[in-house]
Structures are given as structure tokens and as C-alpha cells.
Amino acid sequence: MASLSAPDLMEEYVEKVEERKQEERRRDASLDEWLPITSSRTAKWYYSAFHNVAAMVGAGVLGLPFAMSQLGWGAGTVAIVGSFAVTLYTLWQMVEMHEMVPGRRFDRYHELGQHAFGDRLGLWIIVPQQLVVEVGTDVVYMVTGGQSLKKAHDLLCNGRCKDIRLAFWIMMFAAAQLPLSQLPNFNSISAVSAAAAVMSLTYSMIAFFASTAKGAAAGAGAGADYALRAPTAAGKVFGVLNALGAVAFAYAGHNVVLEIQATIPSTPERPSKKPMWRGVVAAYAVVALCYFAVAFAGYYAFGNAVDPNVLISLEKPRWLVAAANLMVAVHVVGSYQVFAMPVFDMMETVLVKKLRFAPSTGLRLVARSAYVLATMFVGMTFPFFDGLLGFFGGFGFAPTTYFIPCIIWMMLKKPKKYGLTWFINVFCIVIGVLLMLASPIGGMRQIIHDVKSFKFYS
């Protein structure tokens, strides 16, 4: 057999390389059809509204009156209203950047980060922050779900039933998450998100009207003390830092917005950003109604005596407050899934592409169940609602929500230096960096303070 010439060998080598590339593309396309973020692109604009409400109006809204008690009326109002404006702007930026490159969609936050910062650096900047936010939120939702179920039980029993430890209520909440975690993608949880959105609006209005009624009954708020919550100067400073983190935690939808937008169909004539933005505006209208109503009415009613979860402070009417707590539990069931879906996508990508597991129902069952059980264990171990809000809000939410979108926007869109857009982005970056540096300190101090009087798994 005659030996091949150098040009023939080169041609054969090129053909084999091309065959390998085609095989990798086929494998990636097959994987995209299985992964939860890209497996379905048939969502409507109102799916976006449901998912964004479920992601935004969760545990954070119930902690806003507590944040107000650490900031006072003036600073608290500025923090909550200012954060609303800043995060709506950065959310608009992310929706616009989803398809900023013709013919390409940034279906995941880290893909946009890689386009801006480079493949390797983009992953290291975005993925750890996104995981802190999504896993941290799911841990907080485990605690919130367990606390809400326990509060509803205690209210309805009114001392007639045996007390059940919080750890068991968290386990019950996790039991509901195990089967729901097997739903394949965002579109499959749209009904869960819709129920969560309705629940969030309903319990927020219950908290608003019950708090307003209590404040009015006390004589136009005369029974409440509006001095800052902490009695010492150091306590006030740390309280402010923790409160800013809790406010940042309340505005959390950015970490899943590109993944939600990835489920909406898109063509050059009808890009996905139009229905996505329509859903975002609808969601933010609900956010404004819930956040401002609950924050101001809860603080008005209880002043600096308000609990970290305002529904815990409310006692009457007993049946209505119990119903509101059950609604919170239903809501965070859906919110947990919205934040878990991108984590499932990352886990399954690593398992299939890096560790070479075959995509299968069994793989999904084991991986997702392990994640639910892990967040349950952490939530049972550290059920410190107020401290967790402040810590995760500053450490993870401030970068991914307040200033990373602005940095990417300035790198890719290159607005005119010292122009209005440039100043707006710089302002958001400065605010976000200050939040990231300051508020975790307050949250960690609150956790340490809570640990002193807490018995694990009690």
C-alpha cells in the first residue's frame, strides 16, 4: 500500500478535525435540548411576568419593615425607592443585552459575562456570584417556608397543639420541593410561578391591610416607637449595614432574568426583548405595590419592635394571618424552583460535559434531590432570617444586581464619557460596590448575635 503524500495527510487530518467539531456541535445541540434553560423556547410574555414576580417578591418583602426599623423613615424610604429605580434600570440593560450580538442569544448570565470579560475570566466573575445568590436564596426560602408553616400551625392551634420544632417544618417544606425539582425546565414550572405570583400579591396585601389596621387602632401609630432599633451607636451602624443588605436581597430577579428570557421565542422581526420587557414591567408594577405597601405599613404599625418577618409580628385576625403565612409557604415553593433552575442547569452541564455522564432521568433525580437536601440541611442549621438576608443581599446580590450589568453595558455599549448614560452607570456602580463591601458585615454580625441564643436543630 502506497504511503500518503503530505498534502493528503493534511487533508485527512483537516477532515477528521472537522468531523470531531461537527460531532461536538451535534452533542452540544442534543444537550441544549435536554438542559432546563434551553430545552423549551415557547414561553409567552406573561410567563416572564410570573417568573419575575416569583423571583422578586419573596422572603425579601417580608423583611423590609425590619430594614426600615434599622434605617428610620428617611433613610429607609430612600433605600427602598432608590433600589427600585436602580434595579429596574439594570434589569432593562440585561434584557437589552440578551441579543445584542446578531444571531446569538446569551441564554445564561455567565455567557454574557464571558462575552464581556473573556471566556475564562467571565466564568470566574459571574458563576461564583450567581451561585451565592441562587443557592443562598434557596437556603433563605427553606427557612422562610418552614417559619411560615410553623407560624400558621401555631396560630390555628392557639396553644392547643403540641409544639413542633422549626427543623421539622423545614423538612416538610423540603419534602414538597423534591418532586417539583424534577420538572424539566422553566416552562414546566410556569403554573407554579403563576400560583406563587398570586400568593405574593395576596399575602402582601394582607400584611399591608392588617398592619395599617393595627397602626390606626393604636392611634395613628402613636403606640409605635420609630427610633432606630439598636440602643447603642455600634448597634445602629451594624443595623444600617444589615438593613441595606436586606434591601438588596429584596431586588433579586437579575440573577435569573437572562435564563427566563431564554425561554421566549425570538426572530429578527420579533426579538425576545419586547415580550420580555413587557413581562418585566408587569412584574415591577406588582413589586412596587407589594414592596412599598408592606415596608411602610409594617413599620408604621410596629416601629422598631417589628420582627424580621413582618407576618410573625401580626397576630390578629388570627385566621387571616395564618392564611397569609400559608400563602407565603406556597409562594416560596415556586420562588425556590425559579432560583434552583439555573443551578440545575449548571449542575447538569458539568455532569454531562465535564464528567461524561449520560443525560438521563436517573441523573436528574439524584443531582436535583441532592441539591434540595443540601439546602434543607443548611437552612435547618442556620435559620437566621434577618442575618441571612443581610449577608447574602450584600455579598451576592449587590454585584449581580446593582453594578455588574452596568460594567458590562459600559464595556460593550461604550456610552459617551461624562454623558448622562455614563454618569448613571457610574452612580449605580458606586452604590453597588458600597453595598457589596458594607452590608455583609452587618448580616454576619446579626448571625453571630442570633447564634448566641440559638440551640441548633431545636
Side-chain angles (χ1 to χ4, degrees), residues 258-328:
L258 293 180
E259 288 80 353
I260 293 171
Q261 192 168 347
T263 67
I264 297 176
S266 182
T267 64
E269 298 76 25
R270 301 186 65 182
S272 64
K273 67 181 182 181
K274 291 183 179 179
M276 181 66 188
W277 181 243
R278 188 178 176 187
V280 167
V281 170
Y284 254 72
V286 176
V287 167
L289 178 62
C290 295
Y291 281 27
F292 300 158
V294 173
F296 302 144
Y299 185 48
Y300 163 73
F302 298 102
N304 59 20
V306 68
D307 283 299
N309 180 335
V310 68
L311 288 180
I312 305 298
S313 296
L314 293 166
E315 296 287 347
K316 294 178 182 180
R318 187 176 295 275
W319 65 270
L320 188 61
V321 179
N325 277 278
L326 289 175
M327 290 174 189
V328 173

Side-chain angles (χ1 to χ4, degrees), residues 89-108:
Y89 171 69
T90 56
L91 194 52
W92 169 79
Q93 289 180 314
M94 296 195 69
V95 171
E96 287 289 316
M97 291 189 290
H98 180 79
E99 293 173 291
M100 67 182 303
V101 177
R104 183 179 179 187
R105 299 182 70 172
F106 298 114
D107 294 323
R108 299 163 178 89

Side-chain angles (χ1 to χ4, degrees), residues 329-348:
V330 172
H331 176 218
V332 293
V333 165
S335 297
Y336 182 100
Q337 291 300 319
V338 169
F339 279 95
M341 200 62 72
V343 182
F344 296 156
D345 184 84
M346 292 183 200
M347 290 167 52
E348 290 162 11

